[in-house]
């Protein structure tokens, strides 16, 4: 009794914490939680954008000397891509005419939900993903593809609450995607994040010919994620003649650490 | 009465702001700067200068907000902050005889280490951590090191500012009878 009297403040604090926990568990607090989310999501989004802008400015100031080389490389890439784009436009037009001729009906009814990143989810040793300001009430569900403003896939939805969702980035461990390489064999495999920096594709048969620069896209074999979303480009191929498998690291084509606006594709 | 309500409202706003800044702004900063653990710094500061009751309010408000936005099990941060406050309070009462800069920095260090290790255990056993056992992870210890450094620097700054601002908060010695 003396111990309880001496520590009554601590015990009161623990009781309040326990009450909050059980109230959340049985759902009484949900209207209050949704109201608090409604109030604070715009503020959190603003803070996150400011923090990310600071991060971009800090990173750019450290890599000034690489920028000229990067500009030159990108100018050449633009020229190559312009040629490829014009060819693909021709193929698209041909495809459309053939579909009309065969009366082939496409089934692309997907819609896109645009979301702002409002926070990062931090775990013990690394960041596990981003939190966005759209949730189950906007039609989001676990497993949906998340793309950047440029249309490149940057991750997928892991969990949803009513008005927020957690997404994992393609560079996070355990964020796996069914992928295909745009090479002559159309090699298929699973990509997985590596240390939050790059993406790896393991267990590629030795007979498959893959080269640095090949584009990796989603294969469409994963649930909820359509085929054709660009994951990245093959950076390095690890091929030992005495190994059964080869592996490759994939470089994302956007900086995944500076995302502030994303879109979720709902099939 | 109105003054008390006003004070409580101010505290709720202040701690809520700290929580939002922590999970939205701080974690978006470049790599070394995003290791600052504002919540633990504010918790220890509140406990040291204002006592246990405001520190417990801070723990519940900070923990509530972080649990609201987090996708880990609800109550994880509530538990972590309450545990940290209880342990630091016990060390302050049982072991430290004065409220000086050194005791403040020591408490800050203990709070940071306690929070870091406890969160590591809880994240690991709740399945939120994606790698192997966290104690064998270099990234965990590196993160804890930077958090401790930032906490100590923040503690130094806060103590100096507070001591310069008000006589009430200047260090004093307790005589044991």
């Amino acid at each position: 009794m003396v111990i309880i009297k001496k520590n009554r403040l601590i015990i009161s604090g623990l009781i309040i914490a326990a009450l909050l926990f059980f109230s959340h568990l049985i759902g009484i607090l949900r209207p209050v939680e949704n109201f608090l989310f409604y109030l604070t999501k715009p503020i959190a989004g603003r803070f996150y954008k400011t923090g990310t802008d600071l991060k971009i400015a800090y990173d750019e100031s450290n890599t000034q000397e690489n920028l000229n080389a990067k500009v030159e490389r990108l100018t050449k890439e633009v020229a190559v891509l312009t040629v490829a784009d014009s060819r693909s436009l021709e193929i698209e037009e041909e495809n459309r005419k053939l579909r009309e001729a065969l009366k082939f009906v496409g089934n692309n009814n997907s819609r896109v939900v645009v979301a702002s990143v409002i926070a990062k989810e931090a775990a013990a040793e690394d960041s596990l993903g981003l939190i966005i300001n759209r949730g189950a009430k906007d039609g989001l569900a676990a497993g949906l593809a998340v793309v950047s403003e440029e249309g490149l896939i940057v991750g997928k939805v892991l969990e949803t609450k009513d008005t927020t969702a957690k997404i994992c980035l393609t560079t996070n461990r355990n964020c796996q995607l069914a992928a295909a390489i745009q090479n002559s064999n159309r090699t298929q495999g699973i990509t997985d994040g590596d240390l939050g920096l790059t993406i790896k594709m393991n267990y590629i048969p030795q007979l498959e010919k893959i080269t640095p620069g090949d584009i990796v896209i989603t294969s469409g074999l994963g649930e909820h994620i359509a085929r054709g979303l660009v994951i990245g480009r093959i950076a390095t191929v690890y091929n030992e003649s005495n190994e059964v498998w080869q592996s490759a690291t994939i470089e994302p084509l956007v900086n995944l650490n500076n995302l502030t606006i994303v879109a979720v594709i709902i099939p | 009465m109105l003054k008390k309500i006003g004070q409580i409202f101010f505290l709720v706003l202040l701690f809520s702001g700290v929580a939002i800044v922590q999970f939205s702004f701080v974690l978006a900063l470049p790599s070394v700067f995003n290791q600052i653990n504002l919540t633990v710094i504010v918790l220890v500061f509140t406990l040291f200068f204002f006592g246990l009751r405001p520190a417990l309010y801070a723990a519940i408000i900070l923990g509530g907000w972080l649990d609201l936005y987090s996708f880990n099990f609800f109550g994880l941060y509530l538990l972590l902050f309450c545990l940290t406050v209880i342990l630091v309070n016990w060390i302050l009462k049982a072991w430290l005889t004065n409220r000086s800069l050194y005791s403040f920095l020591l408490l800050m260090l203990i709070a940071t280490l306690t929070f870091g290790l406890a969160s590591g255990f809880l994240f690991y056993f709740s399945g939120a951590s994606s790698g192997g056992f966290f104690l064998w992870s270099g990234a965990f210890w590196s993160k804890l090191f930077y958090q401790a450094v930032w906490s100590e620097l923040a503690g130094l700054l806060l103590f100096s500012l507070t001591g310069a601002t008000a006589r009430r908060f200047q260090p004093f010695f307790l005589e044991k009878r």
Side-chain angles (χ1 to χ4, degrees):
Chain A
M1 199 63 188
V2 172
I3 296 171
I4 293 172
K5 225 174 172 178
K6 236 174 135 184
N7 297 307
R8 94 173 158 261
L9 201 51
I10 291 174
I11 292 169
S12 312
L14 289 172
I15 290 171
I16 293 171
L19 279 171
L20 272 173
F21 171 72
F22 284 113
S23 304
H24 171 84
L25 214 60
I26 57 180
I28 300 175
L29 283 184
R30 189 163 292 181
V32 175
E33 288 172 13
N34 288 340
F35 175 68
L36 289 173
F37 271 129
Y38 172 75
L39 273 183
T40 55
K41 271 190 309 186
I43 303 168
R46 195 65 244 156
F47 272 126
Y48 187 83
K49 175 108 186 17
T50 307
T52 308
D53 289 342
L54 284 171
K55 185 176 182 305
I56 293 169
Y58 179 82
D59 288 342
E60 277 175 4
S61 68
N62 285 342
T63 58
Q64 198 63 39
E65 65 272 16
N66 292 332
L67 284 176
N68 286 339
K70 197 171 179 182
V71 164
E72 208 181 307
R73 183 173 60 80
L74 288 171
T75 309
K76 286 181 186 158
E77 256 185 62
V78 163
V80 169
L81 287 170
T82 306
V83 170
D85 185 50
S86 71
R87 267 199 233 123
S88 71
L89 281 173
E90 293 302 314
I91 294 168
E92 208 179 299
E93 178 60 21
E94 200 181 288
N95 189 280
R96 186 187 65 77
K97 286 177 181 166
L98 289 169
R99 279 171 179 265
E100 269 177 28
L102 292 169
K103 297 197 180 358
F104 184 81
V105 178
N107 59 354
N108 187 8
N109 295 324
S110 56
R111 67 181 178 99
V112 164
V113 174
V114 178
S116 297
V117 179
I118 57 172
K120 264 191 186 169
E121 173 87 286
E125 71 271 16
D126 59 16
S127 176
L128 280 186
L130 304 178
I131 297 173
I132 58 176
N133 65 348
R134 296 277 183 264
K137 283 188 174 169
D138 302 291
L140 270 59
L144 296 179
V146 179
V147 298
S148 65
E149 291 173 275
E150 297 88 356
L152 303 156
I153 185 167
V154 294
K156 59 183 185 183
V157 177
L158 281 181
E159 292 175 65
T160 59
K161 289 186 180 178
D162 283 350
T163 55
T164 57
K166 177 172 145 181
I167 64 172
C168 67
L169 299 174
T170 48
T171 50
N172 292 144
R173 216 180 331 210
N174 299 329
C175 190
Q176 294 173 334
L177 294 171
I181 303 174
Q182 286 188 325
N183 57 355
S184 51
N185 298 350
R186 291 287 186 262
T187 306
Q188 300 206 341
I190 306 276
T191 60
D192 202 351
D194 189 32
L195 301 174
L197 297 169
T198 57
I199 308 163
K200 281 202 98 158
M201 195 162 167
N202 294 319
Y203 306 116
I204 305 168
Q206 279 285 0
L207 294 174
E208 302 287 333
K209 189 167 166 30
I210 50 175
T211 46
D214 285 344
I215 299 293
V216 183
I217 59 170
T218 51
S219 63
L221 295 176
E223 211 181 341
H224 303 309
I225 300 179
R227 179 183 172 77
L229 298 169
V230 175
I231 298 172
R233 186 190 358 243
I234 300 279
T236 325
V237 180
Y238 301 99
N239 189 337
E240 301 288 331
S241 54
N242 57 346
E243 295 283 328
V244 178
W245 308 103
Q246 56 180 327
S247 62
T249 53
I250 300 162
E251 178 194 33
L253 298 177
V254 284
N255 189 341
L256 300 183
N257 294 317
N258 296 340
L259 291 170
T260 52
I261 306 279
V262 294
V264 181
I265 301 177
I266 301 174
Chain B
M1 178 73 176
L2 266 176
K3 192 182 172 190
K4 192 133 179 104
I5 293 172
Q7 277 176 348
I8 291 172
F9 186 68
F10 172 73
L11 281 177
V12 168
L13 270 183
L14 178 71
F15 295 135
S16 305
V18 168
I20 293 171
V21 166
Q22 174 66 37
F23 63 68
S24 291
F25 179 71
V26 171
L27 291 178
L29 292 174
S31 56
V32 171
F33 301 101
N34 67 9
Q35 307 299 344
I36 301 169
N37 196 334
L38 268 182
T39 48
V40 167
I41 292 167
V42 163
L43 222 51
V44 174
F45 177 83
T46 309
L47 178 70
F48 193 84
F49 286 104
F50 297 98
L52 181 60
R53 188 190 294 268
L56 280 172
Y57 289 152
I60 288 168
I61 294 168
L62 291 169
W65 276 109
L66 262 59
D67 279 327
L68 196 66
Y69 269 88
S70 166
F71 280 78
N72 298 310
F73 72 85
F74 190 90
L76 183 145
Y77 286 103
L78 269 172
L79 183 64
L80 282 172
F81 288 130
C82 288
L83 199 77
T84 306
V85 164
I86 291 168
L87 179 71
V88 171
N89 183 60
W90 175 71
I91 290 172
L92 181 63
K93 294 276 184 277
W95 292 82
L96 299 172
T97 56
N98 63 61
R99 305 264 172 126
S100 66
L101 174 63
Y102 305 106
S103 52
F104 184 57
L105 291 179
L106 178 68
L107 287 177
M108 195 66 85
L109 183 66
I110 292 170
T112 306
L113 293 175
T114 305
F115 184 85
L117 288 166
S119 65
F121 270 109
L122 286 175
F123 279 129
Y124 180 75
F125 288 109
S126 70
S129 184
S130 56
F133 189 50
F134 71 99
L135 285 178
W136 315 144
S137 162
F140 170 76
W141 291 109
S142 162
K143 183 175 172 172
L144 198 56
F145 171 75
Y146 282 116
Q147 277 189 355
V149 168
W150 281 116
S151 296
E152 295 299 283
L153 286 172
L156 193 62
L157 180 68
L158 282 171
F159 192 92
S160 310
L161 281 173
T162 314
T165 313
R167 257 186 91 180
R168 179 189 154 193
F169 297 126
Q170 293 197 347
F172 61 93
F173 287 86
L174 293 170
E175 287 180 7
K176 273 202 168 173
R177 288 178 195 177

